[in-house]
Short mmCIF file of all heavy atoms in Angstrom, two decimals:
data_model
loop_
_atom_site.label_atom_id
_atom_site.label_comp_id
_atom_site.label_asym_id
_atom_site.label_seq_id
_atom_site.Cartn_x
_atom_site.Cartn_y
_atom_site.Cartn_z
N ARG R 18 -29.16 -1.77 -0.14
CA ARG R 18 -30.12 -0.76 0.29
C ARG R 18 -30.90 -0.24 -0.92
O ARG R 18 -32.12 -0.14 -0.89
CB ARG R 18 -29.41 0.39 1.00
CG ARG R 18 -30.28 1.15 1.97
CD ARG R 18 -29.57 2.40 2.50
NE ARG R 18 -28.19 2.17 2.83
CZ ARG R 18 -27.16 2.91 2.39
NH1 ARG R 18 -27.40 3.93 1.57
NH2 ARG R 18 -25.93 2.64 2.74
N GLY R 19 -30.15 0.04 -1.99
CA GLY R 19 -30.78 0.54 -3.20
C GLY R 19 -31.74 -0.47 -3.81
O GLY R 19 -32.87 -0.15 -4.19
N GLU R 20 -31.28 -1.73 -3.85
CA GLU R 20 -32.09 -2.78 -4.48
C GLU R 20 -33.38 -3.04 -3.73
O GLU R 20 -34.42 -3.30 -4.32
CB GLU R 20 -31.28 -4.08 -4.54
CG GLU R 20 -30.33 -4.16 -5.71
CD GLU R 20 -29.82 -5.58 -5.91
OE1 GLU R 20 -29.81 -6.33 -4.92
OE2 GLU R 20 -29.43 -5.90 -7.05
N LEU R 21 -33.28 -2.99 -2.39
CA LEU R 21 -34.44 -3.39 -1.58
C LEU R 21 -35.37 -2.22 -1.27
O LEU R 21 -36.41 -2.42 -0.62
CB LEU R 21 -33.98 -4.04 -0.28
CG LEU R 21 -33.28 -5.40 -0.44
CD1 LEU R 21 -32.85 -5.94 0.91
CD2 LEU R 21 -34.19 -6.40 -1.15
N ALA R 22 -34.98 -1.02 -1.73
CA ALA R 22 -35.81 0.16 -1.44
C ALA R 22 -37.24 -0.08 -1.93
O ALA R 22 -37.46 -0.51 -3.05
CB ALA R 22 -35.21 1.38 -2.13
N GLY R 23 -38.19 0.15 -1.05
CA GLY R 23 -39.59 -0.03 -1.43
C GLY R 23 -40.10 -1.44 -1.18
O GLY R 23 -41.30 -1.67 -1.12
N LEU R 24 -39.20 -2.41 -1.04
CA LEU R 24 -39.63 -3.79 -0.80
C LEU R 24 -39.59 -4.13 0.68
O LEU R 24 -40.48 -4.81 1.20
CB LEU R 24 -38.73 -4.76 -1.57
CG LEU R 24 -38.77 -4.63 -3.10
CD1 LEU R 24 -37.70 -5.51 -3.74
CD2 LEU R 24 -40.15 -5.01 -3.62
N VAL R 25 -38.54 -3.67 1.35
CA VAL R 25 -38.46 -3.82 2.80
C VAL R 25 -37.95 -2.50 3.37
O VAL R 25 -37.47 -1.65 2.62
CB VAL R 25 -37.51 -4.97 3.24
CG1 VAL R 25 -37.93 -6.29 2.64
CG2 VAL R 25 -36.07 -4.65 2.84
N GLU R 26 -38.03 -2.38 4.71
CA GLU R 26 -37.53 -1.15 5.32
C GLU R 26 -36.19 -1.42 6.01
O GLU R 26 -36.13 -2.19 6.97
CB GLU R 26 -38.54 -0.64 6.35
CG GLU R 26 -38.18 0.70 6.95
CD GLU R 26 -39.09 1.06 8.13
OE1 GLU R 26 -40.08 0.35 8.38
OE2 GLU R 26 -38.78 2.06 8.80
N ILE R 27 -35.12 -0.82 5.47
CA ILE R 27 -33.80 -0.98 6.09
C ILE R 27 -33.72 0.01 7.25
O ILE R 27 -33.64 1.21 7.06
CB ILE R 27 -32.67 -0.69 5.09
CG1 ILE R 27 -32.84 -1.50 3.80
CG2 ILE R 27 -31.31 -0.96 5.75
CD1 ILE R 27 -32.36 -2.91 3.84
N VAL R 28 -33.77 -0.50 8.50
CA VAL R 28 -33.81 0.41 9.65
C VAL R 28 -32.43 0.69 10.22
O VAL R 28 -32.25 1.60 11.02
CB VAL R 28 -34.73 -0.14 10.76
CG1 VAL R 28 -36.17 -0.15 10.28
CG2 VAL R 28 -34.29 -1.54 11.19
N GLY R 29 -31.44 -0.12 9.85
CA GLY R 29 -30.10 0.12 10.38
C GLY R 29 -29.06 -0.67 9.63
O GLY R 29 -29.37 -1.64 8.94
N GLU R 30 -27.79 -0.21 9.78
CA GLU R 30 -26.68 -0.88 9.11
C GLU R 30 -25.51 -0.96 10.06
O GLU R 30 -25.29 -0.06 10.87
CB GLU R 30 -26.22 -0.08 7.88
CG GLU R 30 -27.12 -0.17 6.69
CD GLU R 30 -26.60 0.70 5.56
OE1 GLU R 30 -25.35 0.80 5.43
OE2 GLU R 30 -27.42 1.28 4.85
N ALA R 31 -24.74 -2.02 9.95
CA ALA R 31 -23.52 -2.14 10.76
C ALA R 31 -22.46 -2.82 9.93
O ALA R 31 -22.76 -3.59 9.02
CB ALA R 31 -23.81 -2.93 12.03
N GLY R 32 -21.19 -2.52 10.26
CA GLY R 32 -20.08 -3.08 9.49
C GLY R 32 -19.20 -4.02 10.28
O GLY R 32 -18.22 -4.53 9.78
N SER R 33 -19.58 -4.26 11.55
CA SER R 33 -18.75 -5.14 12.37
C SER R 33 -19.60 -5.78 13.45
O SER R 33 -20.73 -5.34 13.72
CB SER R 33 -17.61 -4.34 13.02
OG SER R 33 -18.16 -3.43 13.94
N VAL R 34 -19.05 -6.81 14.08
CA VAL R 34 -19.76 -7.47 15.18
C VAL R 34 -20.02 -6.48 16.30
O VAL R 34 -21.11 -6.41 16.86
CB VAL R 34 -18.94 -8.67 15.71
CG1 VAL R 34 -19.64 -9.32 16.90
CG2 VAL R 34 -18.73 -9.71 14.61
N ALA R 35 -18.98 -5.68 16.62
CA ALA R 35 -19.09 -4.73 17.73
C ALA R 35 -20.20 -3.70 17.50
O ALA R 35 -20.91 -3.33 18.43
CB ALA R 35 -17.74 -4.02 17.93
N GLU R 36 -20.36 -3.26 16.25
CA GLU R 36 -21.42 -2.31 15.94
C GLU R 36 -22.79 -3.00 15.92
O GLU R 36 -23.79 -2.44 16.37
CB GLU R 36 -21.21 -1.71 14.54
CG GLU R 36 -20.24 -0.56 14.44
CD GLU R 36 -20.03 -0.20 12.97
OE1 GLU R 36 -21.02 -0.12 12.21
OE2 GLU R 36 -18.86 -0.03 12.61
N ALA R 37 -22.78 -4.21 15.33
CA ALA R 37 -24.05 -4.88 15.04
C ALA R 37 -24.81 -5.27 16.30
O ALA R 37 -26.03 -5.05 16.39
CB ALA R 37 -23.79 -6.11 14.16
N ALA R 38 -24.09 -5.82 17.28
CA ALA R 38 -24.78 -6.38 18.44
C ALA R 38 -25.67 -5.36 19.17
O ALA R 38 -26.87 -5.60 19.35
CB ALA R 38 -23.77 -7.03 19.39
N PRO R 39 -25.12 -4.19 19.58
CA PRO R 39 -25.98 -3.22 20.26
C PRO R 39 -27.08 -2.65 19.35
O PRO R 39 -28.21 -2.41 19.80
CB PRO R 39 -25.02 -2.11 20.70
CG PRO R 39 -23.76 -2.34 19.95
CD PRO R 39 -23.71 -3.77 19.55
N LEU R 40 -26.74 -2.48 18.06
CA LEU R 40 -27.70 -1.92 17.12
C LEU R 40 -28.93 -2.82 17.00
O LEU R 40 -30.07 -2.36 17.05
CB LEU R 40 -27.02 -1.76 15.74
CG LEU R 40 -27.87 -1.10 14.67
CD1 LEU R 40 -27.93 0.40 14.90
CD2 LEU R 40 -27.32 -1.39 13.28
N ILE R 41 -28.69 -4.13 16.86
CA ILE R 41 -29.80 -5.08 16.71
C ILE R 41 -30.62 -5.13 18.00
O ILE R 41 -31.85 -5.17 17.98
CB ILE R 41 -29.28 -6.48 16.32
CG1 ILE R 41 -28.58 -6.42 14.96
CG2 ILE R 41 -30.42 -7.49 16.28
CD1 ILE R 41 -27.77 -7.64 14.61
N ARG R 42 -29.93 -5.08 19.16
CA ARG R 42 -30.64 -5.07 20.44
C ARG R 42 -31.57 -3.86 20.54
O ARG R 42 -32.71 -3.97 20.96
CB ARG R 42 -29.65 -5.07 21.60
CG ARG R 42 -29.23 -6.47 22.03
CD ARG R 42 -28.59 -6.44 23.40
NE ARG R 42 -27.31 -5.75 23.39
CZ ARG R 42 -26.14 -6.39 23.28
NH1 ARG R 42 -26.10 -7.70 23.19
NH2 ARG R 42 -25.01 -5.71 23.27
#
Side-chain angles (χ1 to χ4, degrees):
Chain R
R18 205 188 317 128
E20 278 194 335
L21 292 179
L24 297 172
V25 302
E26 185 189 352
I27 308 278
V28 293
E30 285 178 35
S33 66
V34 177
E36 278 174 44
L40 184 77
I41 297 167
R42 272 197 292 264

